[in-house]
């Protein structure tokens, strides 16, 4: 639509130049001055519409050219305020009505004067009405665009509210189901610890109770994050730094060797450290499920000359005398690791080794 309008305006501008042919035989110094000024100012009508109209009016007063003033009036009608618009309209009407020289108006009869008034009115109202129509159409188009943008934003907000409601529902379900079973484990292990007399068995029971209580705490923190209402819980969940890996491996009940060849500082991205921590945590969990008794080696390093943090977990084949525990396996562990690494711009590769073990290697950009 904008291209069509510009094409039409260029066509009318060419007609304004062609209007010179109608006064070719009566050209004098005055005509040359006013016509040259009007035509030279015409290309500037979009940037300086009022100035263009002022320069084009003398050509209209002297009756040499009419179209330059009409084109300038059209642009003024598209942009100017109502007060400026009608003021310019009056000037154009007077310029089109009064003959040159002005004293010649007294020589015209009454019907001729009325005809001149009618012509001047049409010459003035035509570009004004057309300009106001174009302005109204443009305003309507902008308002429709704003309305569409507002509707799009409302749809986005509604989708966000739906996500929030779904997260709250998942948080309630998680809290009600998982906390019920883990709470029973914590209570029962506490009762067993109080009645058990064997110190070694009591230590094992206390370990079960400690992990169940810790699981309840992490569950509460995760529920707070899902509900989006507990900032302290969100901060607690994010306390998964590389310095916590030694504690994680010590409590894993596995034969784990840890080698951390980096020194995280305050400038490290917490999301990066959390991703590395969770990758190690899930890899150790998979070892407990699928390779009980297997030796595990965890290494965290940053190769020289590469802006990546490499996290690698290698485990050997499972011990033949230990059966695999009957733990649920949802099949989402490795997929979850890849998704977690992708969130920080990294990648994860996992594959079995020749000796019957398994390797998980993550490369996370620093």
């Amino acid at each position: 639509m904008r291209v069509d309008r510009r094409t039409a305006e260029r066509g009318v501008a060419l007609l304004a130049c062609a209007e010179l042919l109608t006064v070719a035989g009566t050209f004098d110094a005055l005509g040359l001055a006013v016509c040259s000024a009007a035509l030279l100012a015409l290309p500037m009508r979009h940037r300086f519409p009022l100035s263009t109209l002022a320069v084009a009016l003398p050509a209209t007063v002297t009756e040499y050219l009419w179209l330059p003033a009409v084109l300038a009036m059209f642009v003024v009608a598209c942009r100017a305020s109502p007060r400026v618009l009608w003021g310019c309209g009056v000037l154009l009407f007077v310029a089109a009505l009064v003959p040159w020289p002005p004293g010649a108006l007294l020589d015209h009869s009454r019907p001729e004067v009325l005809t001149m008034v009618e012509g001047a009115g049409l010459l003035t109202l035509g570009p004004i009405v057309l300009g106001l129509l174009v302005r109204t159409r443009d305003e309507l188009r902008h308002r429709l665009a704003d309305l569409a943008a507002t509707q799009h934003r409302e749809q986005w907000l509604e989708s966000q509210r739906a996500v929030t409601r779904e997260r709250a529902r998942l948080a309630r379900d998680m809290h009600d189901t998982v906390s019920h079973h883990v709470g029973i484990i914590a209570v029962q292990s506490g009762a067993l610890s109080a009645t058990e007399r064997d110190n070694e068995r009591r230590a094992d029971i206390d370990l079960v109770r400690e992990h169940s209580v810790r699981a309840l705490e992490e569950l509460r923190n995760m529920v707070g994050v899902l509900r989006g209402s507990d900032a302290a819980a969100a901060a607690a969940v994010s306390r998964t730094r590389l310095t916590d890996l030694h504690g994680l491996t010590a409590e894993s009940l596995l034969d784990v060797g840890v080698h951390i060849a980096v020194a995280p500082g305050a400038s490290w991205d917490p999301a990066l450290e959390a991703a590395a921590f969770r990758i190690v945590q899930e890899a150790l969990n998979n070892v407990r499920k699928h390779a009980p008794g297997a030796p595990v080696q965890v290494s965290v390093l940053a190769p020289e000359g590469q802006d990546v943090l490499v996290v690698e977990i290698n485990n050997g084949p499972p011990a033949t005398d230990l059966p695999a525990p009957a733990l649920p396996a949802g099949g989402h562990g490795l997929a979850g690791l890849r998704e977690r690494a992708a969130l920080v711009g990294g990648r994860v590769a996992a594959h079995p080794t020749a000796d019957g073990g398994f390797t998980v290697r993550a490369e996370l950009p620093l």
Side-chain angles (χ1 to χ4, degrees), residues 247-300:
L248 174 67
T249 56
E251 298 171 354
S252 63
L253 301 179
L254 295 171
D255 180 15
V256 185
V258 182
H259 175 63
I260 302 179
V262 293
S267 61
W268 278 52
D269 185 4
L272 174 67
E273 293 194 61
F277 182 91
R278 294 302 185 190
I279 288 172
V280 174
Q281 186 180 49
E282 179 61 23
L284 295 180
N285 187 41
N286 288 337
V287 173
R288 280 193 297 268
K289 289 181 180 180
H290 307 295
V296 185
Q297 181 64 40
V298 176
S299 63
V300 181

Side-chain angles (χ1 to χ4, degrees), residues 138-158:
D138 290 342
E139 291 177 352
L140 180 60
R141 185 174 65 250
H142 291 316
R143 291 189 180 183
L144 289 176
D146 292 340
L147 180 60
T150 301
Q151 290 177 343
H152 178 73
R153 177 173 175 78
E154 287 295 331
Q155 292 174 356
W156 182 81
L157 291 175
E158 180 59 30

Side-chain angles (χ1 to χ4, degrees), residues 184-355:
I184 291 177
I185 295 174
V187 173
Q188 290 294 96
S189 58
L192 287 175
S193 177
T195 58
E196 181 60 48
R197 296 184 178 182
D198 185 86
N199 292 334
E200 185 175 351
R201 295 181 62 183
R202 185 184 298 115
D204 293 338
I205 295 173
D206 289 339
L207 184 62
V208 172
R209 182 174 182 276
E210 178 183 352
H211 278 279
S212 60
V213 171
R214 187 176 301 175
L216 285 174
E217 292 177 352
E218 293 194 9
L219 174 64
R220 178 184 62 82
N221 294 335
M222 290 301 300
V223 168
V225 173
L226 286 174
R227 294 179 67 89
S229 58
D230 193 343
V237 172
S238 64
R239 295 183 192 128
T240 49
R241 313 304 291 262
L242 292 181
T243 53
D244 300 323
L245 282 179
H246 290 286
L248 174 67
T249 56
E251 298 171 354
S252 63
L253 301 179
L254 295 171
D255 180 15
V256 185
V258 182
H259 175 63
I260 302 179
V262 293
S267 61
W268 278 52
D269 185 4
L272 174 67
E273 293 194 61
F277 182 91
R278 294 302 185 190
I279 288 172
V280 174
Q281 186 180 49
E282 179 61 23
L284 295 180
N285 187 41
N286 288 337
V287 173
R288 280 193 297 268
K289 289 181 180 180
H290 307 295
V296 185
Q297 181 64 40
V298 176
S299 63
V300 181
L301 53 93
E304 187 175 355
Q306 303 180 26
D307 293 332
V308 295
L309 179 70
V310 177
V311 181
E312 189 167 306
I313 304 95
N314 298 291
N315 67 271
T320 56
D321 57 340
L322 291 177
L327 296 175
H332 303 292
L334 294 179
L337 293 185
R338 294 188 179 95
E339 292 171 356
R340 186 178 294 277
L343 289 176
V344 294
R347 59 182 181 178
V348 171
H351 56 83
T353 59
D355 61 352

Side-chain angles (χ1 to χ4, degrees), residues 7 29 46 90 109 199 261 311:
T7 302
H46 290 289
V90 170
S109 63
N199 292 334
V311 181

